[in-house]
Amino acid sequence: MDVNAAVAAAAAIAGVLTGVIAMLAFRWSERDQARPTRTSLHTDPVLPPGVDTVLSVLRSSAVVLDEADAVVKASSAAYALGLVRGGRLSVEPMLQMARDTRRDGEIRQVELDLPRRGTGRGEALAVSARVAPLGSRLVLLLVEDLTEARRIEAVRRDFVANVSHELKTPVGALSLLSEAVMDASDDPEAVERFAGRMQIEATRLTNLVQELIDLSRVQNDDPLEDAEPVRVDELVAEAIDRCRHAAGTKQITMAAGGTADLSIWGHRGQLAAALGNLVENAVNYSPARTRVGIAARRLTGPGGDHIEIAVTDQGIGISDKDKERIFERFYRVDPARSRATGGTGLGLAIVKHVAASHGGEVTVWSSEGQGSTFTLRLPEAGAARDRAQQHPALDDEAGRPADPSHDTPPESAAYQTLSAPEVHP
């Protein structure tokens, strides 16, 4: 009996211990499930109310980091810039800024140059990074791409430097020539010779200032505010008349041809200046006793009808490396010859901006020893007017660069003007 009682008591005690252990294990499991794990912190973060919405509309690249430096939230722009890779912030200086801000709560900002991903070029990506605490555990990183702003600033600096250089040349020449006139006051022939040189430099200075004004105007003005139907025949006749004297001096024959009665919708003054610059360049850079042709035609396409005005010369042509840069401000294929002809290096830049602001483009075909053809392609009057009324923003493209070249020669219509009836200057 005593043995049986002892066995029963031991079994009862074992049962009680088993029940206690099971209950403790159950309680421990509940606590463990309720406790947030590191994985749950990363995959199911809790952002402050409204932050997710704000981040989705920001123009800056946004990244939210938790206390373990894991990415809680990142915008698509942050991935595009290569800031986030594999759920981690890939830029070490930004990561260190985030850690410092998490430690002391201070807002930090720095500008960095980052390598571009997948370009294979040495260009750097200029960014401005700002880090601020977001709640008690999170850190917000905002990154602004400054690359385009720096490029524009560099263009402006180069423009100012080029303008200063171009203005300095004729101004310095006038100063020296005036001193020469004073020293040669007793020599009428020397005074006349120096005075003629002074007149040439003064004319060059006047042309440069005027083209700077024209370039500034076409960049800042909206040509469609004062737009009107402009007849292409009138633009061609005005361009020929503008270059009549220079062409006559070199015995260059100008010929006009193509389709008649075409019209363009735009600013008459700007269109006349653009076509006049193309014809003037053709005359200035063509050998004596050659021909310059101007042809116009209509092109029908899915985007509406366009008007093409081609200016063809029989000059020495343009090399491939120069064709890529001839529409840049102050760029000259032959600087010495440009100065001899009075060129400023701004004429083609003006043409490019006029074409772009009117919703068109300017292209060039050229072959060394065979001449060049510059083509203005602009929307026809009716199509351009309708598009401007329905979608005004579509024509605001003054900053869009033109495609500088064509790989194939121009249509035969552009060359037909070289055998068209002569327009004697």
Side-chain angles (χ1 to χ4, degrees), residues 152-207:
I152 293 175
E153 183 61 28
V155 169
R156 289 176 178 173
R157 287 197 304 269
D158 292 342
F159 181 69
V160 172
N162 288 330
V163 168
S164 302
H165 175 74
E166 295 296 332
L167 290 175
K168 182 179 178 180
T169 301
V171 169
L174 287 173
S175 177
L176 293 175
L177 289 170
S178 64
E179 293 179 3
V181 169
M182 293 178 63
D183 294 338
S185 57
D186 296 334
D187 187 351
E189 293 183 1
V191 170
E192 184 178 358
R193 184 172 67 255
F194 291 141
R197 291 288 306 278
M198 290 177 67
Q199 187 174 11
I200 294 174
E201 295 298 333
T203 301
R204 178 178 299 167
L205 182 60
T206 301
N207 293 338

Side-chain angles (χ1 to χ4, degrees), residues 28 59 91 132 256 288 316 335 369 397 417:
W28 184 268
R59 296 180 60 183
V91 183
I316 60 176
E397 301 178 358
T417 56

Side-chain angles (χ1 to χ4, degrees), residues 252-277:
I252 292 177
T253 302
M254 291 186 290
T259 307
D261 299 327
L262 300 177
S263 296
I264 300 171
W265 182 259
H267 190 284
R268 179 183 179 83
Q270 293 187 13
L271 293 172
L275 183 58
N277 285 346

Side-chain angles (χ1 to χ4, degrees), residues 301-324:
D305 292 344
H306 285 70
I307 303 299
E308 272 194 354
I309 308 175
V311 179
T312 303
D313 62 57
Q314 296 175 315
I316 60 176
I318 305 171
S319 65
D320 291 337
K321 66 180 183 65
D322 289 322
K323 280 192 292 185
E324 298 177 357

Side-chain angles (χ1 to χ4, degrees), residues 43-44 81 203 217 222 280 286 337 370 387 395 407:
T43 58
D44 191 18
L81 288 179
T203 301
R217 183 179 294 118
D222 182 1
E280 186 175 12
S286 290
R337 183 167 182 175
Q370 298 184 29
R387 185 176 67 171
D395 292 305
D407 294 330

Side-chain angles (χ1 to χ4, degrees), residues 339-352:
R339 290 188 173 90
T341 58
T344 63
L346 291 174
L348 292 180
I350 293 174
V351 175
K352 185 194 76 170

Side-chain angles (χ1 to χ4, degrees), residues 47 51-65 71-85 88-89 117 140-145:
L47 293 175
V51 171
D52 197 7
T53 302
V54 172
L55 295 182
S56 64
V57 299
L58 285 177
R59 296 180 60 183
S60 304
S61 302
V63 180
V64 179
L65 304 176
V71 175
V72 173
K73 177 74 175 180
S75 63
S76 57
Y79 286 99
L81 288 179
L83 303 179
V84 179
R85 300 179 188 176
R88 309 289 296 185
L89 187 62
R117 296 180 56 191
L140 173 63
L141 171 66
L142 296 178
V143 179
E144 190 76 23
D145 188 357

